[in-house]
């Protein structure tokens, strides 16, 4: 299968660099380039790419709003947010808008390619460890939930699925969740699949955000740093 990729960045040289890297791969094809968010949305509607590499800071419609619109008009498209800094202030907003992860613009080519393949296969490209660290740094942007009701979809989860969701929210890998809850790793994966389906979430990152927003997990609560897992 050829992964069709739309590149959205206001810097022409970066678009050229990304395109050159992608064209050299037998399983990837850059299908379009956008210099701003408006063009990105329009091309996503026309081309229906598998993956969109989305810069955050672009003139006019920025990458956050463009991500939100792309996910709405082309649900099958996966968005990777491109950031300049490890803790870009817009990264959390991008993930919340529906992006499947984030990449640093200076990431190594092999890491970029791995991330694109992972996202195209339906996975998130941000490890649980990085996801948790990102959310912890952006806890002022996460609702504290005071006076607010929790999402009613929580009632759809079984007791065990809820336990798994809490562990996912704490940034633990499937292997660590299996050890903590005394389950087989395959069972954890099955539970996670059911959780995503019942809560209508796209991927693991969205599950983490859901857990934080519904106060199942608190950013200030310490937990053991997990091993990297995509």
């Amino acid at each position: 299968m050829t992964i069709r990729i739309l590149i959205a960045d206001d810097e022409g040289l970066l678009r050229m660099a990304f395109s050159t890297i992608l064209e050299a791969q037998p399983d990837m094809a850059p299908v379009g380039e956008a210099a701003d968010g408006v063009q990105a949305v329009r091309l996503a509607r026309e081309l229906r790419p598998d993956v969109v590499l989305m810069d955050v800071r672009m003139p006019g419609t920025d990458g956050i709003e463009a991500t939100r619109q792309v996910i709405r008009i082309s649900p099958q498209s996966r968005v990777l947010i491109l950031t300049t800094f490890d803790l870009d202030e817009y990264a959390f907003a991008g993930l919340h808008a529906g992006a499947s992860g984030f990449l640093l613009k200076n990431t190594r080519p092999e890491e970029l390619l791995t991330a694109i393949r992972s996202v195209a296969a339906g996975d998130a490209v941000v490890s649980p460890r990085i996801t948790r660290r990102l959310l912890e740094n952006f806890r002022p942007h996460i609702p504290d939930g005071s006076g607010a009701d929790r999402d009613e979809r929580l009632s759809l989860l079984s007791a065990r699925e809820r336990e798994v969701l809490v562990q996912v929210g704490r940034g633990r890998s499937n292997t660590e969740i299996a050890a903590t809850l005394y389950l087989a790793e395959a069972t954890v994966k099955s539970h996670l699949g059911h959780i995503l389906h019942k809560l209508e979430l796209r991927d693991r990152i969205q599950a983490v955000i859901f857990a934080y927003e519904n106060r199942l997990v608190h950013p200030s609560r310490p937990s053991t740093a997990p091993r990297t897992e995509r």
Side-chain angles (χ1 to χ4, degrees):
M1 182 188 74
T2 299
I3 303 172
R4 304 171 66 253
I5 304 162
L6 171 63
I7 304 168
D9 196 296
D10 62 341
E11 296 185 35
L13 287 178
L14 274 178
R15 294 199 306 272
M16 181 183 301
F18 284 133
S19 183
T20 299
I21 293 171
L22 300 177
E23 288 174 344
Q25 304 305 306
D27 60 339
M28 297 184 186
V31 295
E33 296 183 12
D36 56 44
V38 172
Q39 290 182 0
V41 173
R42 177 176 57 80
L43 289 176
R45 180 184 292 109
E46 296 174 359
L47 302 173
R48 304 290 174 172
D50 299 306
V51 176
V52 180
L53 297 182
M54 183 77 75
D55 184 21
V56 171
R57 296 169 178 170
M58 294 186 290
T61 301
D62 64 20
I64 304 303
E65 178 58 28
T67 294
R68 188 174 292 109
Q69 293 184 35
V70 167
I71 296 302
R72 184 175 66 249
I73 66 176
S74 183
Q76 77 277 12
S77 297
R78 296 281 175 154
V79 177
L80 290 180
I81 292 290
L82 300 175
T83 66
T84 303
F85 303 105
D86 191 12
L87 293 176
D88 192 303
E89 62 182 359
Y90 297 109
F92 175 79
L95 297 177
H96 195 275
S100 294
F102 74 99
L103 294 172
L104 299 181
K105 285 190 175 182
N106 64 351
T107 190
R108 293 180 298 176
E110 58 268 26
E111 293 175 343
L112 170 66
L113 299 174
T114 296
I116 291 174
R117 292 186 178 103
S118 295
V119 165
D123 297 326
V125 302
V126 183
S127 71
R129 176 179 60 82
I130 298 300
T131 301
R132 186 185 61 199
R133 183 165 65 86
L134 177 69
L135 290 175
E136 286 175 344
N137 278 271
F138 286 95
R139 59 187 173 188
H141 303 282
I142 300 174
D144 60 13
S146 56
D149 293 329
R150 292 184 176 181
D151 194 304
E152 62 182 15
R153 289 174 295 178
L154 276 172
S155 63
L156 300 176
L157 302 182
S158 68
R160 179 61 84 182
E161 288 167 349
R162 191 170 176 132
E163 288 178 333
V164 171
L165 177 58
V166 168
Q167 296 300 318
V168 170
R170 289 178 178 171
R172 293 196 169 103
S173 68
N174 288 347
T175 301
E176 290 169 327
I177 295 173
T180 300
L181 300 181
Y182 302 100
L183 298 172
E185 189 168 347
T187 302
V188 173
K189 292 181 180 179
S190 177
H191 282 315
L192 181 56
H194 293 156
I195 291 168
L196 297 180
H197 176 72
K198 290 180 179 181
L199 300 182
E200 301 175 319
L201 304 174
R202 291 169 60 84
D203 50 41
R204 191 185 197 100
I205 291 176
Q206 300 301 306
V208 173
I209 293 173
F210 183 94
Y212 272 59
E213 289 187 327
N214 285 277
R215 287 98 63 209
L216 299 180
V217 182
H218 300 280
S220 58
R221 180 178 297 169
S223 60
T224 303
R227 293 179 292 274
T228 299
E229 173 185 279
R230 292 196 180 279

